[in-house]
């Protein structure tokens, strides 16, 4: 019995055409599935005003330290007088109702939970409408 012995070539040939086809299909799929516009609901064309300006957001800083002391802006305030001081600070910013002034709470990560809750409770009693808690990124 005679066997045909084939000589193998030194290099293998890989057909890249199916790989390229798959990559193009992936690119097309990603382009179709990606959302380039945020979901805005009803689309409207907004007018442009030459005299309009961005509204500056006023803020009041409230800091709770690790040992439980509370500061409004730079002044240390006892918890009992915090409600009145928040109202006073809002009035100084020109918004006594608290509609446009944001209370930014800076709480130390070692601060007692009770001190932060007491500060937030005083803000609620002062009818502060906008409160945010500052964190590190």
């Amino acid at each position: 019995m005679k066997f045909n012995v084939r000589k193998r070539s030194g290099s293998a040939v890989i057909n890249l055409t199916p790989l390229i086809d798959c990559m193009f299909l992936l690119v097309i799929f990603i382009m179709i599935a990606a959302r380039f516009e945020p979901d805005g609901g009803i689309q409207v064309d907004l007018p442009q005003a030459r005299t309009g300006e961005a509204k500056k957001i006023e803020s009041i800083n409230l800091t709770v330290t690790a040992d439980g002391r509370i500061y409004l802006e730079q002044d240390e305030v006892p918890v009992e007088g915090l409600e009145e001081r928040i109202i006073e600070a809002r009035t100084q910013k020109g918004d006594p109702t608290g509609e446009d002034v944001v209370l930014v709470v800076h709480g130390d990560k070692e601060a007692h939970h009770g001190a932060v809750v007491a500060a937030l409770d005083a803000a609620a009693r002062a009818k502060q409408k906008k409160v945010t808690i500052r964190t590190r990124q």
Side-chain angles (χ1 to χ4, degrees), residues 65-77:
T65 62
D67 57 354
R69 291 182 292 166
I70 298 174
Y71 291 88
L72 190 65
E73 296 298 340
Q74 301 297 323
D75 303 325
E76 186 173 356
V77 179

Side-chain angles (χ1 to χ4, degrees), residues 112-126:
H112 296 285
H113 183 67
V116 176
V117 169
L120 292 174
D121 187 44
R125 286 192 315 270

Side-chain angles (χ1 to χ4, degrees), residues 6-133:
R6 293 187 207 165
K7 292 184 181 181
R8 292 187 176 178
S9 61
S11 66
V13 177
I14 298 175
N15 188 3
L16 294 178
T17 305
L19 179 66
I20 293 171
D21 288 344
C22 288
M23 294 308 291
F24 277 132
L25 285 174
L26 282 173
V27 168
I28 291 171
F29 175 76
I30 290 171
M31 288 177 61
I32 290 173
R35 301 179 95 181
F36 296 108
E37 292 182 10
D39 237 0
I42 299 172
Q43 298 293 325
V44 294
D45 189 14
L46 297 174
Q48 183 178 8
R50 292 185 185 194
T51 59
E53 62 184 72
K55 187 175 187 179
K56 184 181 176 195
I57 298 174
E58 294 287 339
S59 65
I60 302 169
N61 293 316
L62 185 125
T63 306
V64 180
T65 62
D67 57 354
R69 291 182 292 166
I70 298 174
Y71 291 88
L72 190 65
E73 296 298 340
Q74 301 297 323
D75 303 325
E76 186 173 356
V77 179
V79 177
E80 296 80 25
L82 186 58
E83 178 182 344
E84 292 82 20
R85 291 294 304 272
I86 291 173
I87 295 170
E88 180 182 315
R90 276 195 325 232
T91 306
Q92 287 177 356
K93 298 280 184 179
D95 186 23
T97 62
E99 293 289 331
D100 296 324
V101 176
V102 178
L103 180 70
V104 181
V105 179
H106 301 265
D108 190 282
K109 69 178 182 177
E110 300 297 326
H112 296 285
H113 183 67
V116 176
V117 169
L120 292 174
D121 187 44
R125 286 192 315 270
K127 303 208 185 320
Q128 177 64 38
K129 302 218 181 346
K130 296 180 182 179
V131 177
T132 184
I133 297 175

